[in-house]
Structures are given as structure tokens and as C-alpha cells.
């Protein structure tokens, strides 16, 4: 898990989570978190104004989408939240590793593969 804090008090972290929108759950990656919201990445970001729930482990936060660009969107929580609880140090699981690999773009692709 990559984690640091930027000057605005956001906790920067790439961690796997689950988002629910209109009763439909999907995997997401939390890119950063503050006491007022999250920046999240997913394949199909919800529309601006949509109500969403984001869960990671036992932590859950509800709120509203306030912006979206490409695969990212900003989420404003309906109440105060502790970003450390949602993105704090927890053991990495297979989903974390899978999402990390999907977000990386190889710098060079060798084709055809080399034979040894």
C-alpha cells in the first residue's frame, strides 16, 4: 500500500474498496482521503450528484459525488470521517494487488516474448 499525506491534509493511498450505488456494488480504488471526502478510481464513475457508499473492511462512509473526470471522481462525505480509519494500514489482500497491477502501464512491451 502506498501512503503519504499531502499539504491539504489528504491521506494519499491506493487501496482497494467497494462502492455501492443504487444497490449495485463494484470494486474501486481509493486514491486519497481527507476528513471531508475521497478521490476514488473505478471503471464506471457515478454521475455527479449520485449518492454512494464506500466500504473498506469494517469502515463505511456515505456521501455524494461532486466531480468526475475519466475514471476518477470526488466524493464528499455526508458527515465527518477519519481518513486513517478508511485508508489506514491494513494487510494487503489479493484485490489490492490486482487493482495495483491493473493501474500500471508497462514502459516497454516486448513482442514476441523472448525464449530462454
Amino acid at each position: 500500500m502506498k501512503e503519504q499525506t499531502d499539504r491539504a491534509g489528504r491521506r494519499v493511498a491506493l487501496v482497494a474498496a467497494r462502492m455501492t450505488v443504487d444497490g449495485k456494488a463494484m470494486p474501486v480504488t481509493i486514491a486519497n482521503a481527507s476528513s471531508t471526502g475521497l478521490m476514488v478510481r473505478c471503471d464506471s464513475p457515478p454521475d455527479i450528484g449520485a449518492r454512494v457508499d464506500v466500504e473498506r473492511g469494517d469502515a463505511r462512509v456515505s456521501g455524494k459525488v461532486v466531480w468526475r473526470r475519466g475514471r476518477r471522481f470526488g466524493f464528499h462525505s455526508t458527515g465527518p470521517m477519519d481518513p486513517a480509519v478508511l485508508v489506514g494500514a491494513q494487510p494487503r489482500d489479493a484485490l489490492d494487488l490486482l487493482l495495483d497491477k491493473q493501474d500500471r502501464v508497462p514502459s516497454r512491451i516486448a513482442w514476441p516474448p523472448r525464449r530462454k
Side-chain angles (χ1 to χ4, degrees):
M1 174 172 37
K2 187 161 109 180
E3 186 177 318
Q4 63 189 48
T5 304
D6 72 7
R7 68 179 182 270
R10 292 180 192 93
R11 291 179 68 102
V12 179
L14 295 175
V15 294
R18 181 175 41 178
M19 173 178 71
T20 305
V21 181
D22 296 327
K24 190 167 122 182
M26 66 186 73
V28 297
T29 300
I30 298 171
N32 70 46
S34 71
S35 61
T36 60
L38 308 170
M39 180 170 67
V40 180
R41 293 189 300 200
C42 66
D43 289 335
S44 300
D47 293 330
I48 294 173
R51 298 274 178 200
V52 299
D53 294 315
V54 176
E55 299 175 52
R56 181 163 190 257
D58 294 334
R60 180 181 180 146
V61 62
S62 297
K64 182 170 84 169
V65 176
V66 293
W67 62 266
R68 72 181 252 183
R69 280 183 210 96
R71 292 182 53 207
R72 297 175 184 247
F73 68 92
F75 167 95
H76 191 268
S77 61
T78 55
M81 59 179 249
D82 182 356
V85 171
L86 200 58
V87 299
Q90 291 185 7
R92 292 177 62 95
D93 60 18
L95 185 56
D96 281 324
L97 296 172
L98 175 65
L99 288 172
D100 281 355
K101 286 180 183 175
Q102 287 177 345
D103 288 335
R104 290 192 189 118
V105 176
S107 58
R108 185 177 82 174
I109 299 174
W111 191 259
R114 294 182 192 162
R115 294 183 183 212
K116 293 185 180 185

